Amino acid sequence: MKKVAVLGAGSWGTALAMVLADNNHEVRLWGHKQAQIDEINQTHTNEKYLKNIKLSDKIIGYTSMDEAVDSVEAIVLAVPTKAMREVCQQLKGYLKAPALFVHVSKGIEPDTHLRVSEVIEDELPETVREAVVVLSGPSHAEEVSMRQPTTVTAASLNAAAAEKVQDLFINQHFRVYTNSDVVGVEIGGSLKNIIALAAGITDGLGYGDNAKAALITRGLAEIARLGSCLGANPLTFLGLTGMGDLIVTCTSVHSRNWRAGNMLGKGMKLEEVLDSMGMVVEGVRTTKAAYQLSQKLQVKMPLTSALYHVLFDGVDPKDAVDELMSRSKTTELDDLAQLLGDRVQ
């Protein structure tokens, strides 16, 4: 049994706390809303985020971050990417010994273009970090909380740390693989939210399966193109954190990003969509960061660029699709040949 703190009592943080409790760990779930934490401790529910789900009494809620992380061996960071830097700044004042950090957020920080693990390393000194591990993959919190079969990947440059995280979480419902390609895992997990927003838009516009299949396939090409430029292994994008996460996020009504895109496609404005969601839509912020990064690195990302202009420049979604369809002709496999060329030779 390990002592583990999960920082972030949203749907994903709560679902992961359930996995840890199923594995008989002592789980401390931190959130900043007293009423929510009282609900977790008194009725063992978190209805706003996971409806009709009963939580284990092994999960203890905290509003005090100091108490939540006291003497724990691992800390799971399950807050939105926009809150990650602030939470880490708070956290470092409470850490008395090195801990294993597991982050489960999917995004890129605008302007700095840092991945989440880089933000963590930027804020937390090495003296309090045993290692940083990314836990990512096709994993809707709603299904994990119902103990439906789910597979994810624990990625770290520290193989022993990745295996520790694998041991913490793996059970008969929740299978965990390991991977050393941190860049590929984080980029795949982050950029799939962009494509999911676009998939929701095409559904909202009333387009069919042909459009969805094209979007997912060409979206994967964009993700691999940028990821490889940043040093990722192209083959990572064919795995759970690439194609796997992309499929589930683009096709499921559980996906916040798909739902937000669907409302945009039906004519709602971005502000209205975000107000009605009530939860963070990571793809919006990541679209801005990925667009900035593609411009900086001169990487062609037509889908990301089109979505950026819809979200931030007021371009009509249908006009954006029409422009994508009327681009200059090209060949399909140039990307694959370029990405894999060095490995084939």
Side-chain angles (χ1 to χ4, degrees), residues 31-69:
H32 57 84
K33 295 179 180 177
Q34 187 65 55
Q36 181 192 23
I37 296 304
D38 288 344
E39 178 191 352
I40 289 168
N41 288 333
Q42 293 168 13
T43 65
H44 306 295
T45 59
N46 191 0
E47 282 291 322
K48 178 180 178 180
Y49 293 99
L50 293 175
K51 291 187 180 301
N52 303 317
I53 296 295
K54 196 72 174 176
L55 306 182
S56 167
D57 57 11
K58 293 189 182 76
I59 300 171
I60 308 299
Y62 291 81
T63 53
S64 167
M65 188 181 293
D66 190 5
E67 293 178 12
V69 301

PDB file of all heavy atoms in Angstrom, residues 31-69:
ATOM      1  N   GLY A  31      -9.106  19.148  -3.555  1.00  0.00           N
ATOM      2  CA  GLY A  31      -9.838  20.108  -4.373  1.00  0.00           C
ATOM      3  C   GLY A  31      -9.980  21.397  -3.589  1.00  0.00           C
ATOM      4  O   GLY A  31      -9.835  21.410  -2.360  1.00  0.00           O
ATOM      5  N   HIS A  32     -10.283  22.479  -4.274  1.00  0.00           N
ATOM      6  CA  HIS A  32     -10.317  23.774  -3.571  1.00  0.00           C
ATOM      7  C   HIS A  32     -11.728  24.205  -3.173  1.00  0.00           C
ATOM      8  O   HIS A  32     -11.907  25.252  -2.547  1.00  0.00           O
ATOM      9  CB  HIS A  32      -9.645  24.858  -4.415  1.00  0.00           C
ATOM     10  CG  HIS A  32     -10.245  25.041  -5.769  1.00  0.00           C
ATOM     11  ND1 HIS A  32     -11.348  25.817  -5.990  1.00  0.00           N
ATOM     12  CD2 HIS A  32      -9.899  24.525  -6.975  1.00  0.00           C
ATOM     13  CE1 HIS A  32     -11.656  25.794  -7.272  1.00  0.00           C
ATOM     14  NE2 HIS A  32     -10.809  25.012  -7.890  1.00  0.00           N
ATOM     15  N   LYS A  33     -12.760  23.396  -3.505  1.00  0.00           N
ATOM     16  CA  LYS A  33     -14.127  23.750  -3.145  1.00  0.00           C
ATOM     17  C   LYS A  33     -14.573  22.913  -1.938  1.00  0.00           C
ATOM     18  O   LYS A  33     -14.670  21.693  -2.028  1.00  0.00           O
ATOM     19  CB  LYS A  33     -15.063  23.521  -4.327  1.00  0.00           C
ATOM     20  CG  LYS A  33     -14.760  24.431  -5.518  1.00  0.00           C
ATOM     21  CD  LYS A  33     -15.703  24.160  -6.680  1.00  0.00           C
ATOM     22  CE  LYS A  33     -15.372  25.075  -7.862  1.00  0.00           C
ATOM     23  NZ  LYS A  33     -16.228  24.783  -9.039  1.00  0.00           N
ATOM     24  N   GLN A  34     -14.851  23.603  -0.834  1.00  0.00           N
ATOM     25  CA  GLN A  34     -15.168  22.904   0.408  1.00  0.00           C
ATOM     26  C   GLN A  34     -16.414  22.033   0.281  1.00  0.00           C
ATOM     27  O   GLN A  34     -16.458  20.900   0.783  1.00  0.00           O
ATOM     28  CB  GLN A  34     -15.370  23.921   1.541  1.00  0.00           C
ATOM     29  CG  GLN A  34     -15.540  23.287   2.905  1.00  0.00           C
ATOM     30  CD  GLN A  34     -14.299  22.551   3.372  1.00  0.00           C
ATOM     31  OE1 GLN A  34     -13.211  23.130   3.414  1.00  0.00           O
ATOM     32  NE2 GLN A  34     -14.439  21.278   3.718  1.00  0.00           N
ATOM     33  N   ALA A  35     -17.437  22.538  -0.431  1.00  0.00           N
ATOM     34  CA  ALA A  35     -18.683  21.767  -0.561  1.00  0.00           C
ATOM     35  C   ALA A  35     -18.445  20.461  -1.304  1.00  0.00           C
ATOM     36  O   ALA A  35     -19.009  19.407  -0.947  1.00  0.00           O
ATOM     37  CB  ALA A  35     -19.738  22.609  -1.286  1.00  0.00           C
ATOM     38  N   GLN A  36     -17.600  20.499  -2.319  1.00  0.00           N
ATOM     39  CA  GLN A  36     -17.293  19.284  -3.092  1.00  0.00           C
ATOM     40  C   GLN A  36     -16.529  18.277  -2.232  1.00  0.00           C
ATOM     41  O   GLN A  36     -16.834  17.075  -2.251  1.00  0.00           O
ATOM     42  CB  GLN A  36     -16.475  19.650  -4.330  1.00  0.00           C
ATOM     43  CG  GLN A  36     -16.125  18.466  -5.213  1.00  0.00           C
ATOM     44  CD  GLN A  36     -15.087  18.820  -6.269  1.00  0.00           C
ATOM     45  OE1 GLN A  36     -14.316  19.766  -6.116  1.00  0.00           O
ATOM     46  NE2 GLN A  36     -15.070  18.060  -7.350  1.00  0.00           N
ATOM     47  N   ILE A  37     -15.555  18.758  -1.477  1.00  0.00           N
ATOM     48  CA  ILE A  37     -14.769  17.866  -0.620  1.00  0.00           C
ATOM     49  C   ILE A  37     -15.646  17.290   0.495  1.00  0.00           C
ATOM     50  O   ILE A  37     -15.521  16.102   0.846  1.00  0.00           O
ATOM     51  CB  ILE A  37     -13.548  18.613  -0.040  1.00  0.00           C
ATOM     52  CG1 ILE A  37     -12.596  19.036  -1.175  1.00  0.00           C
ATOM     53  CG2 ILE A  37     -12.817  17.736   0.969  1.00  0.00           C
ATOM     54  CD1 ILE A  37     -12.116  17.908  -2.053  1.00  0.00           C
ATOM     55  N   ASP A  38     -16.548  18.088   1.033  1.00  0.00           N
ATOM     56  CA  ASP A  38     -17.479  17.576   2.041  1.00  0.00           C
ATOM     57  C   ASP A  38     -18.339  16.456   1.454  1.00  0.00           C
ATOM     58  O   ASP A  38     -18.597  15.438   2.124  1.00  0.00           O
ATOM     59  CB  ASP A  38     -18.379  18.700   2.551  1.00  0.00           C
ATOM     60  CG  ASP A  38     -17.636  19.689   3.447  1.00  0.00           C
ATOM     61  OD1 ASP A  38     -16.534  19.347   3.919  1.00  0.00           O
ATOM     62  OD2 ASP A  38     -18.162  20.802   3.652  1.00  0.00           O
ATOM     63  N   GLU A  39     -18.790  16.635   0.220  1.00  0.00           N
ATOM     64  CA  GLU A  39     -19.592  15.605  -0.447  1.00  0.00           C
ATOM     65  C   GLU A  39     -18.791  14.309  -0.599  1.00  0.00           C
ATOM     66  O   GLU A  39     -19.301  13.207  -0.341  1.00  0.00           O
ATOM     67  CB  GLU A  39     -20.051  16.102  -1.819  1.00  0.00           C
ATOM     68  CG  GLU A  39     -20.857  15.071  -2.602  1.00  0.00           C
ATOM     69  CD  GLU A  39     -21.075  15.458  -4.054  1.00  0.00           C
ATOM     70  OE1 GLU A  39     -20.735  16.600  -4.438  1.00  0.00           O
ATOM     71  OE2 GLU A  39     -21.547  14.594  -4.823  1.00  0.00           O
ATOM     72  N   ILE A  40     -17.529  14.434  -1.013  1.00  0.00           N
ATOM     73  CA  ILE A  40     -16.671  13.253  -1.196  1.00  0.00           C
ATOM     74  C   ILE A  40     -16.503  12.509   0.127  1.00  0.00           C
ATOM     75  O   ILE A  40     -16.581  11.270   0.185  1.00  0.00           O
ATOM     76  CB  ILE A  40     -15.302  13.681  -1.775  1.00  0.00           C
ATOM     77  CG1 ILE A  40     -15.465  14.120  -3.231  1.00  0.00           C
ATOM     78  CG2 ILE A  40     -14.279  12.544  -1.663  1.00  0.00           C
ATOM     79  CD1 ILE A  40     -14.247  14.824  -3.812  1.00  0.00           C
ATOM     80  N   ASN A  41     -16.325  13.244   1.219  1.00  0.00           N
ATOM     81  CA  ASN A  41     -16.079  12.616   2.518  1.00  0.00           C
ATOM     82  C   ASN A  41     -17.349  12.103   3.197  1.00  0.00           C
ATOM     83  O   ASN A  41     -17.315  11.091   3.899  1.00  0.00           O
ATOM     84  CB  ASN A  41     -15.366  13.607   3.445  1.00  0.00           C
ATOM     85  CG  ASN A  41     -13.918  13.849   3.043  1.00  0.00           C
ATOM     86  OD1 ASN A  41     -13.288  12.979   2.433  1.00  0.00           O
ATOM     87  ND2 ASN A  41     -13.404  15.024   3.355  1.00  0.00           N
ATOM     88  N   GLN A  42     -18.454  12.796   2.979  1.00  0.00           N
ATOM     89  CA  GLN A  42     -19.676  12.456   3.718  1.00  0.00           C
ATOM     90  C   GLN A  42     -20.587  11.482   2.971  1.00  0.00           C
ATOM     91  O   GLN A  42     -21.129  10.550   3.575  1.00  0.00           O
ATOM     92  CB  GLN A  42     -20.440  13.743   4.054  1.00  0.00           C
ATOM     93  CG  GLN A  42     -19.688  14.630   5.042  1.00  0.00           C
ATOM     94  CD  GLN A  42     -20.284  16.026   5.155  1.00  0.00           C
ATOM     95  OE1 GLN A  42     -21.393  16.298   4.683  1.00  0.00           O
ATOM     96  NE2 GLN A  42     -19.544  16.941   5.770  1.00  0.00           N
ATOM     97  N   THR A  43     -20.757  11.684   1.674  1.00  0.00           N
ATOM     98  CA  THR A  43     -21.660  10.805   0.909  1.00  0.00           C
ATOM     99  C   THR A  43     -20.906   9.904  -0.059  1.00  0.00           C
ATOM    100  O   THR A  43     -21.507   9.053  -0.715  1.00  0.00           O
ATOM    101  CB  THR A  43     -22.700  11.632   0.115  1.00  0.00           C
ATOM    102  OG1 THR A  43     -22.020  12.407  -0.891  1.00  0.00           O
ATOM    103  CG2 THR A  43     -23.458  12.576   1.042  1.00  0.00           C
ATOM    104  N   HIS A  44     -19.590  10.113  -0.168  1.00  0.00           N
ATOM    105  CA  HIS A  44     -18.735   9.327  -1.067  1.00  0.00           C
ATOM    106  C   HIS A  44     -19.244   9.392  -2.511  1.00  0.00           C
ATOM    107  O   HIS A  44     -19.336   8.381  -3.215  1.00  0.00           O
ATOM    108  CB  HIS A  44     -18.635   7.875  -0.584  1.00  0.00           C
ATOM    109  CG  HIS A  44     -18.180   7.765   0.834  1.00  0.00           C
ATOM    110  ND1 HIS A  44     -16.924   8.171   1.242  1.00  0.00           N
ATOM    111  CD2 HIS A  44     -18.822   7.327   1.949  1.00  0.00           C
ATOM    112  CE1 HIS A  44     -16.798   7.968   2.547  1.00  0.00           C
ATOM    113  NE2 HIS A  44     -17.944   7.467   2.999  1.00  0.00           N
ATOM    114  N   THR A  45     -19.560  10.600  -2.918  1.00  0.00           N
ATOM    115  CA  THR A  45     -19.948  10.869  -4.300  1.00  0.00           C
ATOM    116  C   THR A  45     -19.271  12.155  -4.766  1.00  0.00           C
ATOM    117  O   THR A  45     -18.769  12.934  -3.951  1.00  0.00           O
ATOM    118  CB  THR A  45     -21.480  11.028  -4.451  1.00  0.00           C
ATOM    119  OG1 THR A  45     -21.924  12.114  -3.617  1.00  0.00           O
ATOM    120  CG2 THR A  45     -22.218   9.749  -4.069  1.00  0.00           C
ATOM    121  N   ASN A  46     -19.286  12.367  -6.096  1.00  0.00           N
ATOM    122  CA  ASN A  46     -18.799  13.610  -6.704  1.00  0.00           C
ATOM    123  C   ASN A  46     -19.695  13.865  -7.918  1.00  0.00           C
ATOM    124  O   ASN A  46     -19.276  13.754  -9.065  1.00  0.00           O
ATOM    125  CB  ASN A  46     -17.330  13.472  -7.107  1.00  0.00           C
ATOM    126  CG  ASN A  46     -16.690  14.808  -7.500  1.00  0.00           C
ATOM    127  OD1 ASN A  46     -17.338  15.843  -7.469  1.00  0.00           O
ATOM    128  ND2 ASN A  46     -15.423  14.757  -7.862  1.00  0.00           N
ATOM    129  N   GLU A  47     -20.972  14.159  -7.604  1.00  0.00           N
ATOM    130  CA  GLU A  47     -22.034  14.131  -8.616  1.00  0.00           C
ATOM    131  C   GLU A  47     -21.823  15.099  -9.775  1.00  0.00           C
ATOM    132  O   GLU A  47     -22.220  14.809 -10.895  1.00  0.00           O
ATOM    133  CB  GLU A  47     -23.384  14.413  -7.953  1.00  0.00           C
ATOM    134  CG  GLU A  47     -23.962  13.222  -7.210  1.00  0.00           C
ATOM    135  CD  GLU A  47     -24.393  12.095  -8.149  1.00  0.00           C
ATOM    136  OE1 GLU A  47     -24.922  12.390  -9.232  1.00  0.00           O
ATOM    137  OE2 GLU A  47     -24.186  10.925  -7.795  1.00  0.00           O
ATOM    138  N   LYS A  48     -21.213  16.237  -9.540  1.00  0.00           N
ATOM    139  CA  LYS A  48     -21.026  17.196 -10.636  1.00  0.00           C
ATOM    140  C   LYS A  48     -20.178  16.600 -11.745  1.00  0.00           C
ATOM    141  O   LYS A  48     -20.396  16.863 -12.930  1.00  0.00           O
ATOM    142  CB  LYS A  48     -20.383  18.490 -10.121  1.00  0.00           C
ATOM    143  CG  LYS A  48     -20.132  19.497 -11.235  1.00  0.00           C
ATOM    144  CD  LYS A  48     -19.492  20.780 -10.738  1.00  0.00           C
ATOM    145  CE  LYS A  48     -19.223  21.730 -11.909  1.00  0.00           C
ATOM    146  NZ  LYS A  48     -18.586  22.996 -11.473  1.00  0.00           N
ATOM    147  N   TYR A  49     -19.208  15.786 -11.367  1.00  0.00           N
ATOM    148  CA  TYR A  49     -18.251  15.275 -12.349  1.00  0.00           C
ATOM    149  C   TYR A  49     -18.484  13.822 -12.731  1.00  0.00           C
ATOM    150  O   TYR A  49     -18.206  13.430 -13.867  1.00  0.00           O
ATOM    151  CB  TYR A  49     -16.825  15.462 -11.815  1.00  0.00           C
ATOM    152  CG  TYR A  49     -16.442  16.923 -11.708  1.00  0.00           C
ATOM    153  CD1 TYR A  49     -16.512  17.584 -10.485  1.00  0.00           C
ATOM    154  CD2 TYR A  49     -16.037  17.644 -12.824  1.00  0.00           C
ATOM    155  CE1 TYR A  49     -16.176  18.935 -10.378  1.00  0.00           C
ATOM    156  CE2 TYR A  49     -15.695  18.982 -12.726  1.00  0.00           C
ATOM    157  CZ  TYR A  49     -15.771  19.627 -11.506  1.00  0.00           C
ATOM    158  OH  TYR A  49     -15.448  20.954 -11.416  1.00  0.00           O
ATOM    159  N   LEU A  50     -18.960  13.002 -11.791  1.00  0.00           N
ATOM    160  CA  LEU A  50     -19.221  11.585 -12.076  1.00  0.00           C
ATOM    161  C   LEU A  50     -20.581  11.216 -11.497  1.00  0.00           C
ATOM    162  O   LEU A  50     -20.700  10.863 -10.324  1.00  0.00           O
ATOM    163  CB  LEU A  50     -18.120  10.700 -11.479  1.00  0.00           C
ATOM    164  CG  LEU A  50     -16.730  10.822 -12.091  1.00  0.00           C
ATOM    165  CD1 LEU A  50     -15.728   9.972 -11.308  1.00  0.00           C
ATOM    166  CD2 LEU A  50     -16.720  10.409 -13.563  1.00  0.00           C
ATOM    167  N   LYS A  51     -21.583  11.314 -12.317  1.00  0.00           N
ATOM    168  CA  LYS A  51     -22.954  11.084 -11.846  1.00  0.00           C
ATOM    169  C   LYS A  51     -23.200   9.604 -11.535  1.00  0.00           C
ATOM    170  O   LYS A  51     -22.757   8.729 -12.263  1.00  0.00           O
ATOM    171  CB  LYS A  51     -23.956  11.581 -12.891  1.00  0.00           C
ATOM    172  CG  LYS A  51     -23.979  13.105 -13.050  1.00  0.00           C
ATOM    173  CD  LYS A  51     -25.096  13.543 -13.949  1.00  0.00           C
ATOM    174  CE  LYS A  51     -25.119  15.053 -14.092  1.00  0.00           C
ATOM    175  NZ  LYS A  51     -25.274  15.752 -12.801  1.00  0.00           N
ATOM    176  N   ASN A  52     -23.913   9.389 -10.443  1.00  0.00           N
ATOM    177  CA  ASN A  52     -24.363   8.046 -10.046  1.00  0.00           C
ATOM    178  C   ASN A  52     -23.219   7.070  -9.800  1.00  0.00           C
ATOM    179  O   ASN A  52     -23.363   5.858  -9.981  1.00  0.00           O
ATOM    180  CB  ASN A  52     -25.312   7.465 -11.110  1.00  0.00           C
ATOM    181  CG  ASN A  52     -26.504   8.354 -11.367  1.00  0.00           C
ATOM    182  OD1 ASN A  52     -27.109   8.877 -10.431  1.00  0.00           O
ATOM    183  ND2 ASN A  52     -26.840   8.556 -12.642  1.00  0.00           N
ATOM    184  N   ILE A  53     -22.063   7.606  -9.382  1.00  0.00           N
ATOM    185  CA  ILE A  53     -20.902   6.763  -9.070  1.00  0.00           C
ATOM    186  C   ILE A  53     -20.614   6.852  -7.575  1.00  0.00           C
ATOM    187  O   ILE A  53     -20.502   7.939  -7.010  1.00  0.00           O
ATOM    188  CB  ILE A  53     -19.658   7.209  -9.879  1.00  0.00           C
ATOM    189  CG1 ILE A  53     -19.887   7.009 -11.371  1.00  0.00           C
ATOM    190  CG2 ILE A  53     -18.427   6.455  -9.393  1.00  0.00           C
ATOM    191  CD1 ILE A  53     -20.049   5.567 -11.802  1.00  0.00           C
ATOM    192  N   LYS A  54     -20.495   5.685  -6.935  1.00  0.00           N
ATOM    193  CA  LYS A  54     -20.169   5.626  -5.516  1.00  0.00           C
ATOM    194  C   LYS A  54     -18.657   5.510  -5.356  1.00  0.00           C
ATOM    195  O   LYS A  54     -18.017   4.666  -6.002  1.00  0.00           O
ATOM    196  CB  LYS A  54     -20.847   4.416  -4.869  1.00  0.00           C
ATOM    197  CG  LYS A  54     -20.889   4.474  -3.349  1.00  0.00           C
ATOM    198  CD  LYS A  54     -21.889   5.521  -2.876  1.00  0.00           C
ATOM    199  CE  LYS A  54     -22.047   5.486  -1.346  1.00  0.00           C
ATOM    200  NZ  LYS A  54     -22.934   6.556  -0.861  1.00  0.00           N
ATOM    201  N   LEU A  55     -18.080   6.359  -4.533  1.00  0.00           N
ATOM    202  CA  LEU A  55     -16.631   6.354  -4.310  1.00  0.00           C
ATOM    203  C   LEU A  55     -16.275   5.475  -3.107  1.00  0.00           C
ATOM    204  O   LEU A  55     -17.064   5.339  -2.168  1.00  0.00           O
ATOM    205  CB  LEU A  55     -16.124   7.774  -4.065  1.00  0.00           C
ATOM    206  CG  LEU A  55     -16.468   8.836  -5.110  1.00  0.00           C
ATOM    207  CD1 LEU A  55     -15.847  10.171  -4.726  1.00  0.00           C
ATOM    208  CD2 LEU A  55     -15.986   8.411  -6.497  1.00  0.00           C
ATOM    209  N   SER A  56     -15.088   4.929  -3.149  1.00  0.00           N
ATOM    210  CA  SER A  56     -14.589   4.129  -2.032  1.00  0.00           C
ATOM    211  C   SER A  56     -14.359   5.008  -0.804  1.00  0.00           C
ATOM    212  O   SER A  56     -13.946   6.174  -0.921  1.00  0.00           O
ATOM    213  CB  SER A  56     -13.276   3.452  -2.435  1.00  0.00           C
ATOM    214  OG  SER A  56     -12.624   2.921  -1.302  1.00  0.00           O
ATOM    215  N   ASP A  57     -14.592   4.458   0.381  1.00  0.00           N
ATOM    216  CA  ASP A  57     -14.298   5.217   1.596  1.00  0.00           C
ATOM    217  C   ASP A  57     -12.796   5.292   1.861  1.00  0.00           C
ATOM    218  O   ASP A  57     -12.360   5.928   2.827  1.00  0.00           O
ATOM    219  CB  ASP A  57     -15.047   4.654   2.799  1.00  0.00           C
ATOM    220  CG  ASP A  57     -14.739   3.177   3.062  1.00  0.00           C
ATOM    221  OD1 ASP A  57     -13.796   2.643   2.441  1.00  0.00           O
ATOM    222  OD2 ASP A  57     -15.448   2.564   3.890  1.00  0.00           O
ATOM    223  N   LYS A  58     -11.997   4.636   0.989  1.00  0.00           N
ATOM    224  CA  LYS A  58     -10.536   4.782   1.074  1.00  0.00           C
ATOM    225  C   LYS A  58     -10.081   6.130   0.515  1.00  0.00           C
ATOM    226  O   LYS A  58      -8.936   6.537   0.708  1.00  0.00           O
ATOM    227  CB  LYS A  58      -9.830   3.658   0.299  1.00  0.00           C
ATOM    228  CG  LYS A  58      -9.988   2.265   0.867  1.00  0.00           C
ATOM    229  CD  LYS A  58      -9.072   1.305   0.125  1.00  0.00           C
ATOM    230  CE  LYS A  58      -9.210  -0.118   0.617  1.00  0.00           C
ATOM    231  NZ  LYS A  58     -10.441  -0.760   0.120  1.00  0.00           N
ATOM    232  N   ILE A  59     -10.973   6.807  -0.232  1.00  0.00           N
ATOM    233  CA  ILE A  59     -10.647   8.114  -0.810  1.00  0.00           C
ATOM    234  C   ILE A  59     -11.061   9.194   0.177  1.00  0.00           C
ATOM    235  O   ILE A  59     -12.244   9.365   0.479  1.00  0.00           O
ATOM    236  CB  ILE A  59     -11.386   8.313  -2.151  1.00  0.00           C
ATOM    237  CG1 ILE A  59     -10.981   7.239  -3.154  1.00  0.00           C
ATOM    238  CG2 ILE A  59     -11.112   9.713  -2.703  1.00  0.00           C
ATOM    239  CD1 ILE A  59     -11.812   7.233  -4.422  1.00  0.00           C
ATOM    240  N   ILE A  60     -10.092   9.925   0.686  1.00  0.00           N
ATOM    241  CA  ILE A  60     -10.347  11.001   1.652  1.00  0.00           C
ATOM    242  C   ILE A  60     -10.096  12.338   0.970  1.00  0.00           C
ATOM    243  O   ILE A  60      -9.039  12.560   0.378  1.00  0.00           O
ATOM    244  CB  ILE A  60      -9.437  10.876   2.891  1.00  0.00           C
ATOM    245  CG1 ILE A  60      -9.545   9.458   3.486  1.00  0.00           C
ATOM    246  CG2 ILE A  60      -9.798  11.943   3.914  1.00  0.00           C
ATOM    247  CD1 ILE A  60     -10.923   9.084   3.947  1.00  0.00           C
ATOM    248  N   GLY A  61     -11.085  13.221   1.033  1.00  0.00           N
ATOM    249  CA  GLY A  61     -10.961  14.529   0.396  1.00  0.00           C
ATOM    250  C   GLY A  61     -10.300  15.559   1.299  1.00  0.00           C
ATOM    251  O   GLY A  61     -10.470  15.539   2.530  1.00  0.00           O
ATOM    252  N   TYR A  62      -9.555  16.474   0.682  1.00  0.00           N
ATOM    253  CA  TYR A  62      -8.860  17.541   1.405  1.00  0.00           C
ATOM    254  C   TYR A  62      -9.010  18.856   0.642  1.00  0.00           C
ATOM    255  O   TYR A  62      -8.970  18.874  -0.590  1.00  0.00           O
ATOM    256  CB  TYR A  62      -7.351  17.253   1.508  1.00  0.00           C
ATOM    257  CG  TYR A  62      -6.961  16.104   2.404  1.00  0.00           C
ATOM    258  CD1 TYR A  62      -7.042  14.794   1.954  1.00  0.00           C
ATOM    259  CD2 TYR A  62      -6.488  16.336   3.700  1.00  0.00           C
ATOM    260  CE1 TYR A  62      -6.668  13.730   2.773  1.00  0.00           C
ATOM    261  CE2 TYR A  62      -6.107  15.278   4.529  1.00  0.00           C
ATOM    262  CZ  TYR A  62      -6.201  13.978   4.052  1.00  0.00           C
ATOM    263  OH  TYR A  62      -5.824  12.931   4.849  1.00  0.00           O
ATOM    264  N   THR A  63      -9.138  19.951   1.389  1.00  0.00           N
ATOM    265  CA  THR A  63      -8.988  21.275   0.780  1.00  0.00           C
ATOM    266  C   THR A  63      -7.630  21.868   1.128  1.00  0.00           C
ATOM    267  O   THR A  63      -7.192  22.836   0.506  1.00  0.00           O
ATOM    268  CB  THR A  63     -10.091  22.240   1.249  1.00  0.00           C
ATOM    269  OG1 THR A  63     -10.125  22.257   2.676  1.00  0.00           O
ATOM    270  CG2 THR A  63     -11.457  21.829   0.696  1.00  0.00           C
ATOM    271  N   SER A  64      -6.961  21.300   2.109  1.00  0.00           N
ATOM    272  CA  SER A  64      -5.615  21.735   2.481  1.00  0.00           C
ATOM    273  C   SER A  64      -4.592  20.954   1.667  1.00  0.00           C
ATOM    274  O   SER A  64      -4.446  19.736   1.848  1.00  0.00           O
ATOM    275  CB  SER A  64      -5.363  21.514   3.978  1.00  0.00           C
ATOM    276  OG  SER A  64      -3.980  21.656   4.269  1.00  0.00           O
ATOM    277  N   MET A  65      -3.885  21.651   0.786  1.00  0.00           N
ATOM    278  CA  MET A  65      -2.862  20.985  -0.007  1.00  0.00           C
ATOM    279  C   MET A  65      -1.729  20.484   0.880  1.00  0.00           C
ATOM    280  O   MET A  65      -1.176  19.405   0.651  1.00  0.00           O
ATOM    281  CB  MET A  65      -2.307  21.929  -1.085  1.00  0.00           C
ATOM    282  CG  MET A  65      -1.379  21.255  -2.069  1.00  0.00           C
ATOM    283  SD  MET A  65      -0.719  22.379  -3.317  1.00  0.00           S
ATOM    284  CE  MET A  65      -2.175  22.792  -4.257  1.00  0.00           C
ATOM    285  N   ASP A  66      -1.397  21.246   1.897  1.00  0.00           N
ATOM    286  CA  ASP A  66      -0.335  20.871   2.832  1.00  0.00           C
ATOM    287  C   ASP A  66      -0.636  19.507   3.460  1.00  0.00           C
ATOM    288  O   ASP A  66       0.209  18.600   3.486  1.00  0.00           O
ATOM    289  CB  ASP A  66      -0.211  21.943   3.908  1.00  0.00           C
ATOM    290  CG  ASP A  66       1.019  21.754   4.787  1.00  0.00           C
ATOM    291  OD1 ASP A  66       1.820  20.841   4.502  1.00  0.00           O
ATOM    292  OD2 ASP A  66       1.178  22.515   5.757  1.00  0.00           O
ATOM    293  N   GLU A  67      -1.856  19.325   3.935  1.00  0.00           N
ATOM    294  CA  GLU A  67      -2.241  18.058   4.558  1.00  0.00           C
ATOM    295  C   GLU A  67      -2.335  16.940   3.526  1.00  0.00           C
ATOM    296  O   GLU A  67      -1.959  15.790   3.800  1.00  0.00           O
ATOM    297  CB  GLU A  67      -3.585  18.214   5.271  1.00  0.00           C
ATOM    298  CG  GLU A  67      -3.536  19.131   6.478  1.00  0.00           C
ATOM    299  CD  GLU A  67      -4.907  19.297   7.116  1.00  0.00           C
ATOM    300  OE1 GLU A  67      -5.823  18.529   6.764  1.00  0.00           O
ATOM    301  OE2 GLU A  67      -5.063  20.204   7.958  1.00  0.00           O
ATOM    302  N   ALA A  68      -2.812  17.265   2.331  1.00  0.00           N
ATOM    303  CA  ALA A  68      -2.994  16.238   1.298  1.00  0.00           C
ATOM    304  C   ALA A  68      -1.677  15.607   0.873  1.00  0.00           C
ATOM    305  O   ALA A  68      -1.618  14.402   0.588  1.00  0.00           O
ATOM    306  CB  ALA A  68      -3.704  16.838   0.085  1.00  0.00           C
ATOM    307  N   VAL A  69      -0.607  16.387   0.815  1.00  0.00           N
ATOM    308  CA  VAL A  69       0.664  15.856   0.298  1.00  0.00           C
ATOM    309  C   VAL A  69       1.640  15.467   1.402  1.00  0.00           C
ATOM    310  O   VAL A  69       2.743  15.007   1.112  1.00  0.00           O
ATOM    311  CB  VAL A  69       1.346  16.876  -0.646  1.00  0.00           C
ATOM    312  CG1 VAL A  69       0.438  17.215  -1.813  1.00  0.00           C
ATOM    313  CG2 VAL A  69       1.776  18.141   0.093  1.00  0.00           C
TER     314      VAL A  69
END
